[in-house]
Amino acid sequence: MKKTRQSMLTPSIVRSAIKDSFVKLNPLTMMKNPVMFVVEIGTLIVLLMTVFPGYFHTEDDIGFNITVFLILLLTVLFANFAEALAEGRGKAQADSLKKTKKDITANKMVGNGIKLVSSAELRKGDIVVVAQGEMIPGDGEVISGLASVDESAITGESAPVIKEAGGDFSSVTGGTRVVSDRIVVRIAADPGESFLDRMISLVEGAKRQKTPNELALSTLLTSLTIIFLIVVVTLAPMADYLDIELQIPVLIALLVCLIPTTIGGLLSAIGIAGMDRVTQFNVLAMSGKAVEAAGDINTMILDKTGTITFGNRMASEFVAVGKESLRDTAGWAAVGSLRDETPEGRSVLELMKKQLLRYDESLAEGGEFIEFKAETRMSGIDLPDGRKVRKGAVDAVKKWVIAQGGEVPADLDAASDRIAREGGTPLAVAVDSRIYGLIYLKDTVKPGMSERFEQLRRMGIKTIMCTGDNPLTAATIAREAGVDDFIAESKPEDKIAVIRREQAEGKLVAMTGDGTNDAPALAQADVGLAMNSGTVAAKEAANMVDLDSDPSKIIEVVAIGKQLLMTRGALTTFSIANDIAKYFAIIPAMFILAIPEMNALNVMGLGSPQSAILSALIFNAIIIPLLIPLAMKGVAYKPMSASRLLGRNLVVYGLGGVIVPFIGIKLIDLFVHLWV
């Protein structure tokens, strides 16, 4: 199921972001972003010079100062708007989740009786009874019973899921509803610490912490800001010594254009949007660090069943025995499966279509369907003309045919043994006293998995499949799926061992899991993706939870992580590169009157010193909102090697970051020069 994505620019989100842009002007808030805090201080200084021109002796420059102030103010507001817009989507998502979180009456077990209490009173370890039609009052684990649970309020998936005690599908989430039967649940979280509470806090950004890479980049941007601040401050006395007059607003304009304001204004929005993109895929990341780590993954550990394969054994081949033809064998297998609604039965009909084989459906009209039973280990249909069609376990069908007075083909056992050795399941097909052949059932690889693993290979990611199957079966599936390596007959400790082995080589490892026995490996992995349908232990050990319980989604998570790193790197490259054009605009404008030779650096042919400064400032301001959609959506990611990716980014965003400002500043100057 694909979840409908929330539009990035809904009117309510934009209105809220505009309001928050002004609220974030609070210096205590702005200090968290040193680059934009410096711009805000510069804006305040120019404002004071505009309001009190006599004190600063700037009466003749009042118009220029007002213009510089307004442009600087817009620069800060645009940066705040980018962050507020990213936060707004998370808050909107959190609001919808808060509607799900409401006070529920719980049937708490006290002694030998049941007491009605509010869900807010429940504590970890309490035991509650939830019957049909009732809401599950809190996160917990089913300790008794089996029930169908509607989790659409959390996952968006309309189909109910089965929850039962003692298995890997025993975990339940507060706010979901029991639609059939009755279960006893042990509460696993105190109020305010539930899965839903954590999800609300994370998506609205209340607990978002900067990731290591984000902190490193923030440190770099702060260092560059300090260096350029020192340069600009020392420039004033040097100019005085040379009898060159440099006005304070011009120096502030130079500083703002020198420091990396573009990435400084968008950095926080990129991180928030990265978390949001994961949430849009119905994956809850416990931290931004987990998303970022996904982008650096070198090795991926995948379970076979349910991840690489469907998990249900499907028909893959018809095998005729004795003197029977393949067409007859397939035809009778299809007739016996016409009213069989199991995945196995439907797969027989799908294989018929795939192999373009025909059969007479009319034979089964009016027949009596025989359901599979553990006692007989067969299913089939009794036709109106008296013939009986059966398919099932080979030994069971052999006994049935012998009882009908028939004989077993000499090559039946050999064909059956071959399928079993290859890890498949043979089903015999018989009509009355005659065995026609076998249906080869195997756990089928999901379509497109080979292509997806090839994509991962191009990303430089090694894939390792873990399975409890024998080595022969594991090798067959691994070859068909296209994984790089496999571990057959694997146990939980084998998964931990391979993760530690890869980590010891300096690699980052991702894995998926849903059972309690997967918890140690999920905790050991750098990126552990637990299934929402899994146990509480698995979800607590992992740093990501997939609400849709789709194990193969780890591949999308890795792509999102790489997209986050690419977006941050691309916009950082663009931001630093576009400063070059601003140097050519402002530096000549500052000194051209005192040093006419500086006009040689005016390669853009800008109209006047004032128009050059204002054009550079305007471009510096408007480039931030123009890049917001890219920061929110992310740079398009295509699997390729790191060296090719670096080369592509340098060309597109490095060279582009140099060329675009030259064109933009020149176009702006054509209009500004006329006004100035």
Side-chain angles (χ1 to χ4, degrees), residues 17 45 50 111 122 129 164 191 254 261 292 297 317 324-325 341 350 362 432 444 503 592 599 605 619 621 648 655:
I45 293 172
T50 304
L122 294 175
V129 178
E164 59 182 325
L254 173 64
T261 50
E292 203 169 75
I297 287 301
E317 184 186 350
E324 309 300 340
S325 69
E341 293 301 321
E350 287 296 323
S362 63
D432 293 333
T444 309
Q503 289 174 333
I592 198 168
N599 192 48
F619 177 84
R648 175 176 173 269
L655 187 59

Side-chain angles (χ1 to χ4, degrees), residues 324-373:
E324 309 300 340
S325 69
L326 181 65
R327 183 176 298 276
D328 287 342
T329 301
W332 287 117
V335 170
S337 303
L338 275 172
R339 291 166 62 183
D340 184 352
E341 293 301 321
T342 64
E344 161 205 301
R346 290 194 296 270
S347 72
V348 170
L349 302 181
E350 287 296 323
L351 184 60
M352 291 290 292
K353 292 179 184 178
K354 186 177 178 180
Q355 296 187 354
L356 302 176
L357 295 170
R358 298 183 179 278
Y359 60 98
D360 189 357
E361 292 186 42
S362 63
L363 287 173
E365 291 179 5
E368 181 185 356
F369 176 63
I370 307 299
E371 290 187 11
F372 177 86
K373 292 182 180 179

Side-chain angles (χ1 to χ4, degrees), residues 97-216:
L97 289 170
K98 286 175 182 176
K99 293 176 183 176
T100 302
K101 188 177 184 299
K102 52 189 176 183
D103 194 26
I104 304 167
T105 302
N107 301 311
K108 179 182 176 182
M109 294 185 68
V110 180
N112 295 325
I114 291 178
K115 179 182 178 183
L116 290 177
V117 299
S118 167
S119 58
E121 297 178 27
L122 294 175
R123 296 292 181 271
K124 188 174 182 178
D126 288 344
I127 296 175
V128 296
V129 178
V130 191
Q132 181 175 342
E134 295 179 345
M135 300 283 284
I136 296 174
D139 292 1
E141 200 154 10
V142 179
I143 58 174
S144 176
L146 177 149
S148 180
V149 178
D150 176 9
E151 295 187 326
S152 58
I154 305 296
T155 66
E157 176 60 66
S158 57
V161 293
I162 301 298
K163 300 288 185 178
E164 59 182 325
D168 288 345
F169 298 95
S170 59
S171 171
V172 291
T173 306
T176 56
R177 183 183 298 275
V178 173
V179 294
S180 70
D181 302 298
R182 172 181 178 274
I183 50 176
V184 179
V185 177
R186 180 188 291 113
I187 299 298
D190 292 326
E193 299 176 1
S194 70
F195 181 74
L196 197 58
D197 289 316
R198 283 187 293 161
M199 189 173 180
I200 291 169
S201 295
L202 286 164
V203 298
E204 70 182 358
K207 291 187 177 179
R208 195 188 90 85
Q209 295 180 338
K210 288 187 177 181
T211 63
N213 283 348
E214 205 172 345
L215 287 170

Side-chain angles (χ1 to χ4, degrees), residues 585-650:
I586 287 192
I587 292 177
M590 291 173 61
F591 297 101
I592 198 168
L593 294 177
I595 310 174
E597 291 81 2
M598 290 288 287
N599 192 48
L601 293 177
N602 186 16
V603 294
M604 285 184 275
L606 302 179
S608 69
Q610 283 192 330
S611 72
I613 293 168
L614 294 178
S615 298
L617 274 182
I618 291 171
F619 177 84
N620 191 66
I622 64 174
I623 196 65
I624 294 175
L626 290 177
L627 289 175
I628 287 176
L630 183 61
M632 300 282 281
K633 186 179 179 182
V635 173
Y637 175 70
K638 294 181 180 178
M640 61 180 71
S641 66
S643 58
R644 283 187 61 198
L645 194 60
L646 177 61
R648 175 176 173 269
N649 280 353
L650 287 176

Side-chain angles (χ1 to χ4, degrees), residues 441-457:
L441 297 181
K442 71 174 183 179
D443 198 354
T444 309
V445 174
K446 292 179 179 178
M449 291 306 291
S450 179
E451 290 79 4
R452 297 181 84 180
F453 289 135
E454 179 57 35
Q455 285 183 349
L456 290 172
R457 242 186 308 279

